[in-house]
């Protein structure tokens, strides 16, 4: 790519003259030189080593990209009607006439991505700030919500900071108006990745379990849940990338630590496998994804995000683990270069221990969108989602949602 220069000229100058207006100006008096009160700024040079949008920070060899996104949603939701004894815990969520059937949301992202080559190798620093205002949080006085969504440093194969879990793989193609069951969690992580020939890489990571742990159900309201962590989760992953797409195998181990001190702890674990396959025969940007995840005492690694589903249950003096598995996938097809359609689906099965307050259940979710990109970086479209949960010996309950979104990424 041809390098370009972006000129940022700053010219602040003042002409200073001192003469009486009623006297003729001497012919020998020269026009005074303008005083340059501000030093000219250095030129800002485009850095094309890492793709479009990067420029050199003046006076350094660091390339920086400033980018962001503004997103607005209007969503109609039909809420699930869970059985009154679902999970055996008190449900403090808004219900009945306190629920907003229509939710409106505005969200902004600010991203800073700094990269450079040093005598010790490649260094990258990335951060993403996010601010959200929606009608749910406004109603209860919790708006706006601001958080540091991601912030990490990469150096010599290491990634350290808040980032997506190194266990996660496919996390959806649609806008996502209903929850689909797969692992999708930001976490503090310290990871090392070794890249081999042929697009093969191996990653090991330790991650903060606070974002994943669902704890232990004891039957005593004040003792249900998780205690503070004593050890991080351990994650290992094997990945292949090529012109055909990507594939990944991952495993995780976690410490199940009950909030009640008299309840024995346990070790939970999870496995995941998936592939994202390019479909050039359908279109240049078309692709499909298939994924399987299993958790034994680690339901978050299967994408079960319901707080009323626990990693384990304390029954008759034993800590017994919950098992969960999910099959999921997605498809993206570009009808034209400006119009695409996406489809996501997941099916999860949760097997709670015999005697648990929560029955076994399965859940399937479908989500479809149609998106138009009238100009580069801008998207607008509709998204329809439906999910059904089927508890054993209980009546099914379902969710439905329709979403309209406009967003601009810059």
């Amino acid at each position: 790519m041809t390098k370009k220069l972006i000129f940022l000229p700053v010219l602040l100058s003042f002409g200073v003259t001192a003469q009486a207006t009623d006297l003729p100006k001497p012919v020998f008096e020269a026009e005074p030189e303008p005083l340059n009160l501000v030093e000219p700024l250095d030129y800002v040079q485009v850095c094309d080593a890492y793709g479009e949008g990067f420029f050199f920070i003046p006076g350094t060899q660091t390339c920086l990209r400033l980018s962001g996104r503004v997103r607005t949603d209007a969503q109609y939701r039909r809420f699930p009607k869970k059985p009154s004894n679902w999970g055996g815990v008190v449900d403090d969520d808004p219900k009945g006439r306190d629920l907003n059937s229509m939710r409106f949301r505005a969200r902004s992202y600010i991203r800073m991505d700094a990269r450079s080559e040093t005598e010790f190798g490649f260094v990258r620093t990335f951060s993403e700030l996010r601010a959200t205002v929606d009608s749910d949080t406004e109603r209860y006085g919790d708006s706006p919500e601001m958080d540091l969504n991601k912030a990490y440093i990469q150096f010599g194969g290491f990634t350290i900071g808040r980032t997506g879990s190194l266990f996660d793989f496919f996390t959806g193609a649609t806008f996502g108006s209903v929850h689909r069951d797969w692992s999708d969690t930001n976490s503090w992580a310290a990871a090392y990745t070794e890249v081999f020939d042929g697009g093969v890489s191996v990653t090991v990571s330790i991650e903060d379990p606070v974002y994943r742990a669902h704890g232990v159900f004891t039957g005593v309201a004040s003792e249900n849940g998780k205690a503070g962590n004593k050890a991080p989760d351990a994650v290992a992953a094997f990945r292949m990338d090529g012109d055909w797409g990507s594939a990944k195998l991952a495993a995780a181990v976690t410490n199940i630590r009950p909030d009640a001190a008299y309840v024995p702890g346990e070790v939970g674990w999870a496995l995941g496998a998936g592939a994202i396959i390019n479909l050039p025969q359908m279109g240049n940007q078309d692709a499909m994804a298939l994924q399987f995840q299993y958790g034994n005492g680690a339901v978050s690694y299967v994408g079960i995000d319901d707080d009323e589903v626990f990693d384990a249950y304390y029954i008759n003096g034993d800590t017994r683990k919950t098992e969960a598995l999910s099959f999921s996938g997605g498809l993206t097809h570009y009808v034209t270069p400006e119009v695409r359609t996406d489809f996501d689906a997941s099916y999860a099965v949760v097997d709670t221990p015999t005697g648990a307050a929560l029955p076994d259940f399965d859940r399937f979710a479908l989500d479809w969108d149609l998106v138009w990109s009238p100009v580069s970086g801008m998207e607008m479209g509709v998204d329809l989602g439906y999910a059904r949960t089927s508890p054993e010996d209980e009546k099914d309950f379902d969710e439905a949602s329709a979403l309209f979104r406009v967003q601009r990424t810059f």
Side-chain angles (χ1 to χ4, degrees):
M1 183 183 294
T2 304
K3 290 189 176 181
K4 304 175 184 177
L5 294 180
I6 302 173
F7 295 95
L8 301 176
V10 176
L11 182 60
L12 296 175
S13 57
F14 297 87
V16 179
T17 58
Q19 63 183 62
T21 56
D22 57 342
L23 295 176
K25 182 177 180 180
V27 296
F28 56 85
E29 183 176 347
E31 194 70 25
E33 289 291 327
L35 297 177
N36 193 2
L37 301 181
V38 178
E39 290 288 333
L41 290 179
D42 292 337
Y43 294 131
V44 177
Q45 187 176 10
V46 168
C47 171
D48 57 8
Y50 305 111
E52 295 183 356
F54 285 90
F55 60 90
F56 285 101
I57 299 174
T60 75
Q61 292 300 308
T62 299
C63 297
L64 176 66
R65 183 183 182 190
L66 301 176
S67 61
R69 172 182 288 175
V70 173
R71 190 180 98 186
T72 61
D73 295 341
Q75 182 181 18
Y76 177 78
R77 300 175 293 176
R78 182 177 183 275
F79 292 86
K81 297 180 180 179
K82 296 180 180 179
S84 58
N85 62 339
W86 182 254
V89 298
V90 177
D91 183 5
D92 294 327
D93 291 334
K95 56 181 67 71
R97 294 181 63 83
D98 285 335
L99 290 170
N100 287 319
S101 293
M102 285 294 301
R103 179 171 68 179
F104 302 93
R105 168 175 286 180
R107 173 173 284 173
S108 69
Y109 299 81
I110 299 175
R111 303 181 179 115
M112 293 177 285
D113 190 351
R115 308 184 189 188
S116 59
E117 294 292 340
T118 73
E119 58 184 314
F120 299 103
F122 173 76
V123 178
R124 181 189 185 194
T125 306
F126 180 86
S127 67
E128 181 180 79
L129 298 169
R130 183 174 68 177
T132 306
V133 176
D134 67 32
S135 48
D136 286 354
T137 52
E138 283 279 3
R139 179 174 173 83
Y140 298 101
D142 298 326
S143 190
E145 293 182 336
M146 303 188 69
D147 67 321
L148 185 62
N149 195 40
K150 293 182 179 179
Y152 58 83
I153 297 171
Q154 292 179 310
F155 171 69
F158 289 94
T159 300
I160 302 174
R162 180 173 169 81
T163 183
S165 170
L166 280 300
F167 181 90
D168 300 352
F169 185 50
F170 175 69
T171 56
T174 67
F175 287 158
S177 59
V178 294
H179 173 76
R180 285 87 71 222
D181 293 295
W182 51 55
S183 181
D184 183 10
T185 301
N186 282 349
S187 175
W188 184 93
Y192 177 77
T193 300
E194 184 70 30
V195 180
F196 302 94
D197 294 337
V200 175
S201 62
V202 175
T203 299
V204 291
S205 173
I206 56 173
E207 302 182 4
D208 188 348
V210 70
Y211 304 102
R212 289 210 180 262
H214 281 223
V216 179
F217 179 86
T218 65
V220 180
S222 61
E223 297 176 345
N224 294 327
K226 59 189 178 183
N229 67 65
K230 290 189 71 175
D233 288 3
V235 176
F238 172 86
R239 179 167 177 149
M240 295 181 63
D241 294 277
D243 294 338
W244 53 272
S246 303
K248 185 174 182 177
L249 296 173
V253 177
T254 184
N255 178 28
I256 304 172
R257 190 161 185 249
D259 190 41
Y262 61 88
V263 176
E266 267 289 357
V267 175
W269 54 275
L271 296 173
I276 299 174
I277 303 168
N278 297 327
L279 301 173
Q281 62 273 28
M282 293 178 58
N284 290 335
Q285 302 181 72
D286 290 14
M288 67 176 293
L290 297 171
Q291 183 170 247
F292 166 79
Q293 291 169 336
Y294 170 81
N296 186 295
V299 298
S300 174
Y301 284 96
V302 181
I304 307 300
D305 70 341
D306 193 330
D307 290 336
E308 296 167 348
V309 182
F310 292 84
D311 286 324
Y313 291 79
Y314 184 61
I315 302 170
N316 298 328
D318 293 327
T319 301
R320 303 178 184 177
K321 295 183 287 184
T322 303
E323 294 184 73
L325 62 85
S326 70
F327 299 90
S328 58
L331 174 68
T332 292
H333 172 58
Y334 278 79
V335 182
T336 72
E338 294 79 27
V339 178
R340 79 170 192 273
T341 184
D342 307 296
F343 177 75
D344 288 339
S346 70
Y347 175 71
V349 177
V350 176
D351 184 5
T352 56
T354 301
L358 182 74
D360 297 346
F361 68 91
D362 60 73
R363 181 181 186 271
F364 77 86
L366 308 173
D367 202 77
W368 169 84
D369 67 16
L370 182 65
V371 183
W372 176 45
S373 300
V375 297
S376 177
M378 185 172 181
E379 296 181 342
M380 60 178 63
V382 294
D383 185 296
L384 304 177
Y386 174 77
R388 167 161 287 193
T389 302
S390 301
E392 190 175 79
D393 300 325
E394 297 276 1
K395 185 179 179 181
D396 296 349
F397 58 91
D398 57 9
E399 307 160 63
S401 174
L403 173 74
F404 174 72
R405 175 175 294 175
V406 179
Q407 66 183 22
R408 177 71 191 277
T409 303
F410 51 89

